[in-house]
Amino acid sequence: MATPSHSIPSDRMAVLFAVMLVAAAGNTAMQSILPAIGTELKIPDVWVSLAFSWSALLWVLTAPHWARQSDKRGRKALMALGVIGFLSSMALCGLVLWAGLKGLVGAGITFIIFALFRSLYGGLGSAAPPAVQAYVASRTDPEQRTQALSLVSSSFGIGTVIGPAVAPYFILPVVGMAGPMLIFALIGLIVLIMLRWRLPNDTPRFAARGAIAPYPLSAGPNEPSGEEENDPSAPVQESLSWRDTRVRPWLLAGFLGGQAQAMMIGVIGFLILDRLHLRGDPKTAAGLTGTVLMASAFATLLAQWGLIPLFRMTPRPTVLWGAALAICGILMTGLAQDLHGIIIGFALASLGFGLFRPGFTAGASLSVPRRDQGAVAGMTASINGSAYIISPAIGVLLYNWHAMVAYGLMAGFCGWLAIWGWSALKPNQPGT
């Protein structure tokens, strides 16, 4: 007798898609407006950047814990926890920033309280993505699982496009630039109601742990997670050392490119304020920052969903070409004096990083056999997330000293990656 096929109904997949999408969209929406809010409050640029660094650090530290909790506490419960963390953080951050912008609270106190409320997103929001992926993996058969996991993973990337695109439209008359955060909190509440109403409590057919999602920023789609750790017959994973010569070059490549990308994203809002002379008009700057970040995300989508599959690019040339394009885009952005130049340069750099990221991820994966896929996935997630802890703040500090010092350092990271990677990165032989 044939085994019945198992898949997730479309209405439930829509809920899972929404959970992933809203978390990424809300964060990138905040990213597009926060430099303008900091200018309005007369907060030093570096402190604005550190607010994101703090949230990213918490995400990196807590995500592995929530991934392990997926089996113990139930996937629906972890999804709900992540959404509650997201909407609570958005609502409270929006309210405190509104109070600060209205002069009800001092600027310094406003930003301290804001950073505390960001902790809810960094500490709890990371619970949702692995729970969603584990829910899908445990309720689908292998033939449907890859497509389903790719769908929910791509929603994270689509969210990075939607967030900056819609944020300027949520700057409302009464609440001003706090509007996008309050609107996304409301959207998060709607998603939570959908989650409670449409998704049944999970009693998975077998244990499955979702992949740890990197901190969501305007970097385009995440690579679909591997399913080795979700295979009920898979052997126990062995420990893989960070010093393993097979994987070390790819991880170092990820570190170098990741620092450059994190700095570029951290600085762009302040560059727009200064090059377009908008320090006195932060609302306009917020809208233009959203436009630039949206162009960046579309360029990344073009690289990851267009160029890589079209030309069937393998990891080594993907990383090297990505680094070369990123150098050109970074320097063009740093030298640009108008909006058109900034958009073209930033999009070109994002196209390069859109090639680089899946290239180094795939290269690391192909450098080790199947039994080590879980370990190498954790390593690449750590590399991706750690870049956003301190590098954006360093980039802003250097930018405030001299713009081309910051952009020169970004280009230097990519240049080192291209020159060193030419000899250090070897063509992969899967499973060796």
Side-chain angles (χ1 to χ4, degrees):
M1 181 177 179
T3 302
S5 176
H6 293 270
S7 61
I8 299 175
S10 58
D11 60 333
R12 296 178 188 174
M13 279 298 296
V15 173
L16 300 174
F17 191 93
V19 170
M20 296 281 276
L21 184 144
V22 72
N27 197 56
T28 54
M30 182 181 289
Q31 179 191 0
S32 69
I33 63 171
L34 202 56
I37 291 176
T39 296
E40 184 83 8
L41 293 173
K42 296 180 172 55
I43 297 293
D45 295 348
V46 67
W47 290 107
V48 177
S49 180
L50 284 172
F52 278 99
S53 298
W54 168 241
S55 179
L57 174 62
L58 287 175
W59 184 286
V60 171
L61 293 177
T62 60
H65 169 73
W66 296 128
R68 290 190 297 269
Q69 290 293 311
S70 177
D71 285 341
K72 298 178 181 179
R73 298 177 56 181
R75 288 64 185 267
K76 181 179 177 179
L78 267 291
M79 289 181 227
L81 179 65
V83 175
I84 290 170
F86 166 81
L87 72 89
S88 300
S89 176
M90 283 290 171
L92 293 170
C93 285
L95 289 173
V96 72
L97 288 177
W98 171 81
L101 291 168
K102 290 293 184 181
L104 302 177
V105 182
I109 298 298
T110 296
F111 236 72
I112 291 173
I113 299 174
F114 169 82
L116 292 175
F117 288 154
R118 281 291 290 167
S119 303
L120 294 173
Y121 179 78
L124 300 181
S126 58
V132 170
Q133 293 175 352
Y135 187 96
V136 170
S138 64
R139 287 175 170 261
T140 52
D141 289 320
E143 55 269 22
Q144 287 96 27
R145 192 173 306 145
T146 299
Q147 181 180 359
L149 284 172
S150 297
L151 177 63
V152 295
S153 294
S154 69
S155 65
F156 221 46
I158 293 172
T160 67
V161 179
I162 292 176
V166 302
Y169 298 103
F170 295 157
I171 298 176
L172 304 174
V174 177
V175 293
M177 285 188 288
M181 281 162 275
L182 299 175
I183 295 296
F184 272 102
L186 179 60
I187 295 172
L189 179 61
I190 294 171
V191 170
L192 180 63
I193 293 171
M194 291 170 54
L195 175 65
R196 296 289 194 188
W197 176 42
R198 299 300 302 171
L199 208 66
N201 291 324
D202 49 316
T203 52
R205 292 159 51 218
F206 59 83
R209 184 179 303 160
I212 299 168
Y215 188 67
L217 285 158
S218 291
N222 294 339
E223 300 75 37
S225 58
E227 59 183 88
E228 172 73 10
E229 62 184 335
N230 295 322
D231 183 352
S233 60
V236 176
Q237 296 173 359
E238 298 178 4
S239 176
L240 182 68
S241 170
W242 286 84
R243 290 188 246 176
D244 191 298
T245 56
R246 297 168 299 173
V247 74
R248 183 173 58 193
W250 296 102
L251 296 178
L252 182 55
F255 174 82
L256 293 172
Q259 305 309 307
Q261 185 179 25
M263 289 183 184
M264 184 185 74
I265 292 174
V267 168
I268 188 61
F270 305 105
L271 180 79
I272 290 170
L273 284 164
D274 295 331
R275 293 290 167 84
L276 304 184
H277 310 291
L278 293 173
R279 288 281 180 177
D281 188 8
K283 289 184 180 179
T284 299
L288 295 179
T289 302
T291 300
V292 173
L293 291 176
M294 183 173 62
S296 160
F298 275 119
T300 309
L301 292 174
L302 172 62
Q304 296 185 2
W305 290 354
L307 298 183
I308 291 175
L310 177 64
F311 295 106
R312 299 184 179 181
M313 298 177 73
T314 55
R316 182 177 181 271
T318 302
V319 169
L320 297 179
W321 275 108
L325 289 173
I327 293 171
C328 297
I330 287 168
L331 294 177
M332 186 181 296
T333 304
L335 294 171
Q337 298 298 320
D338 56 26
L339 180 62
H340 181 263
I342 292 172
I343 291 176
I344 296 299
F346 200 78
L348 180 60
S350 299
L351 183 69
F353 288 121
L355 293 174
F356 148 78
R357 280 192 64 201
F360 111 80
T361 302
S365 176
L366 290 171
S367 68
V368 296
R370 284 177 61 85
R371 68 174 180 270
D372 290 319
Q373 290 305 304
V376 79
M379 290 177 173
T380 56
S382 296
I383 291 288
N384 283 329
S386 63
Y388 293 94
I389 295 173
I390 193 63
S391 292
I394 293 175
V396 171
L397 276 174
L398 294 176
Y399 168 79
N400 285 333
W401 181 30
H402 193 288
M404 289 313 298
V405 172
Y407 281 93
L409 179 60
M410 299 174 208
F413 274 122
C414 293
W416 184 12
L417 170 57
I419 296 170
W420 165 83
W422 183 265
S423 58
L425 301 178
K426 305 298 182 183
N428 291 105
Q429 296 295 325
T432 60

